[in-house]
Amino acid sequence: MSYTLLSSPLQGFTDATFRNAQQKFFGGIDTYYAPYIRFNRKMIIKGSYQRDLNPEVNTNLELIPQVMTADVEHFLFVIKYIQSLGYKELNWNLGCPYPMVTNSGMGSGLICNAEKIDHILDRAHSETNVTISMKMRLGYENSSEILDAFAILDKYPLKNIAIHARLGKQLYKGGVDLEAFQKCIDVAKHTLYYNGDITTVAQFKAMRERFPSIEHFMIGRGLIADPFLPSMIKADTTEYPVKRWDIFREFHDTIYQQYDAVLSGPTPIKMKMLGFWEFFSQSTHNPQKVYKAIKKAGNPMKYRQAVGEIMAAQKRNVTR
């Protein structure tokens, strides 16, 4: 059975800069999801969202916009906006687990509100012709929430429902609940996508074997930690390219330069890259030491020096 690999969106990470560089240097992802559009108080699409969804900077990849809201007017406004850019599908985020989101009744905090989900989907399908897909958790408090939501979701021609097999209250802690995901497969009428803890080729294979009916797999944190992962899955190999760290360095330098060009001053770029290195370090032979070295780099010159030393250490480790 064939399969499709999708990039699960992570706010602050999987923007156009990362997406384009990941595709250029590594590849393997069939479809990317943009980080969610969210409103504060005014019904305005922020400049950062506009730049990220600009078709001119997403020409060489398939991209699906995403929205996170519990307000039907906001939802309809985003539909009109993304359609004006030529997008035909909108993904609705009912998966975000962070308290500042869920306490506002959005993300995974909305899964238990069947009435509101029904109202938004009803108006979106009756007033627009956009294709809607869902990104969900199993629930916020318990996994019965998504099963209850299916009764509403089944009323609408959704393209798919991507399920991160955790509860919202777990955040990213604890293991995925594969039995609960199987229950979703057993009752869902829509196409389901699997998401959660695919960080190695072996884990991907285990998920394929565990859920043979699933043809779409989303990779989130694993993609940032190891951008080689999708292409290695596609090649069915656990062997990295001979010049693994040269390729990674070129990728790193590309996104660093592009972020540095748009961020103001040394502190924002330092914090931006520190966030990435929290993931990047996981693929090195000494994650704690690597992350500590990046954290200690107090200015751009010291940062570049730290990166050079890290790359050299990784190459030495490979040749031993």
Side-chain angles (χ1 to χ4, degrees):
M1 181 187 294
S2 62
Y3 60 86
T4 300
L5 297 182
L6 309 102
S7 167
S8 180
L10 273 77
Q11 204 74 6
F13 294 97
T14 57
D15 58 14
T17 295
F18 176 86
R19 293 191 299 265
N20 282 290
Q22 194 282 327
Q23 187 191 56
K24 177 182 178 181
F25 291 102
F26 310 102
I29 291 293
D30 298 295
T31 302
Y32 295 82
Y33 286 84
Y36 57 73
I37 293 173
R38 181 182 175 186
F39 295 93
N40 291 322
R41 294 181 180 177
K42 297 180 180 179
M43 204 179 296
I44 297 173
I45 306 292
K46 290 198 308 186
S48 58
Y49 300 145
Q50 294 183 37
R51 291 188 291 274
D52 191 53
L53 293 176
N54 183 349
E56 293 181 3
V57 299
N58 294 287
T59 54
N60 297 316
L61 48 82
E62 181 178 346
L63 180 67
I64 298 172
Q66 186 183 78
V67 65
M68 185 168 68
T69 184
D71 184 292
V72 68
E73 299 303 333
H74 289 172
F75 198 94
L76 296 174
F77 186 82
V78 172
I79 289 175
K80 291 178 182 177
Y81 176 70
I82 63 117
Q83 288 185 319
S84 74
L85 298 177
Y87 295 103
K88 299 184 181 343
E89 178 181 342
L90 180 64
N91 186 261
W92 189 12
N93 184 318
L94 270 69
C96 183
Y98 294 111
M100 63 180 294
V101 169
T102 57
N103 289 343
S104 300
M106 294 187 291
S108 57
L110 181 56
I111 298 173
C112 64
N113 194 333
E115 184 178 352
K116 186 166 283 189
I117 294 172
D118 191 21
H119 178 59
I120 292 174
L121 289 177
D122 177 61
R123 287 196 57 189
H125 283 95
S126 61
E127 298 177 27
T128 79
N129 62 350
V130 76
T131 297
I132 297 174
S133 56
M134 309 289 290
K135 176 77 165 63
M136 305 180 72
R137 290 248 173 163
L138 295 167
Y140 185 80
E141 289 289 346
N142 61 74
S143 57
S144 66
E145 291 176 32
I146 194 170
L147 300 179
D148 293 338
F150 281 159
I152 298 300
L153 301 181
D154 287 348
K155 295 166 56 178
Y156 301 99
L158 304 172
K159 179 183 175 183
N160 65 271
I161 303 171
I163 302 174
H164 183 131
R166 278 187 174 87
L167 296 173
K169 67 179 182 180
Q170 285 182 259
L171 298 178
Y172 291 95
K173 300 172 184 176
V176 288
D177 189 341
L178 301 184
E179 291 185 7
F181 184 76
Q182 181 62 55
K183 289 180 181 178
C184 293
I185 294 175
D186 294 341
V187 302
K189 295 181 180 179
H190 289 100
T191 298
L192 299 187
Y193 293 6
Y194 176 81
N195 180 212
D197 285 7
I198 296 179
T199 58
T200 65
V201 174
Q203 286 170 325
F204 170 76
K205 288 183 175 181
M207 292 303 102
R208 282 203 79 197
E209 292 175 7
R210 180 72 169 78
F211 305 114
S213 65
I214 299 298
E215 299 178 4
H216 299 78
F217 297 85
M218 300 185 82
I219 306 177
R221 295 171 298 157
L223 176 65
I224 304 172
D226 186 359
F228 285 98
L229 180 59
S231 60
M232 291 172 68
I233 289 173
K234 290 284 183 71
D236 191 20
T237 182
T238 57
E239 296 291 326
Y240 286 93
V242 175
K243 295 188 175 182
R244 171 186 179 180
W245 294 108
D246 291 328
I247 296 169
F248 180 83
R249 178 64 187 268
E250 195 172 355
F251 159 76
H252 166 275
D253 290 353
T254 296
I255 65 171
Y256 179 88
Q257 290 163 11
Q258 292 181 13
Y259 286 129
D260 192 36
V262 297
L263 295 173
S264 351
T267 300
I269 185 64
K270 165 72 183 294
M271 298 310 296
K272 184 75 172 178
M273 297 311 298
L274 188 62
F276 274 109
W277 276 102
E278 191 171 354
F279 290 100
F280 292 161
S281 63
Q282 294 172 23
S283 294
T284 65
H285 70 278
N286 194 332
Q288 288 185 327
K289 184 178 180 180
V290 166
Y291 184 69
K292 185 178 180 180
I294 293 294
K295 195 172 183 180
K296 285 176 61 180
N299 59 52
M301 185 180 73
K302 290 182 178 178
Y303 174 84
R304 288 190 288 270
Q305 181 180 351
V307 171
E309 292 172 354
I310 289 166
M311 294 298 102
Q314 302 314 304
K315 289 180 184 179
R316 288 194 301 271
N317 192 63
V318 169
T319 56
R320 285 174 185 170

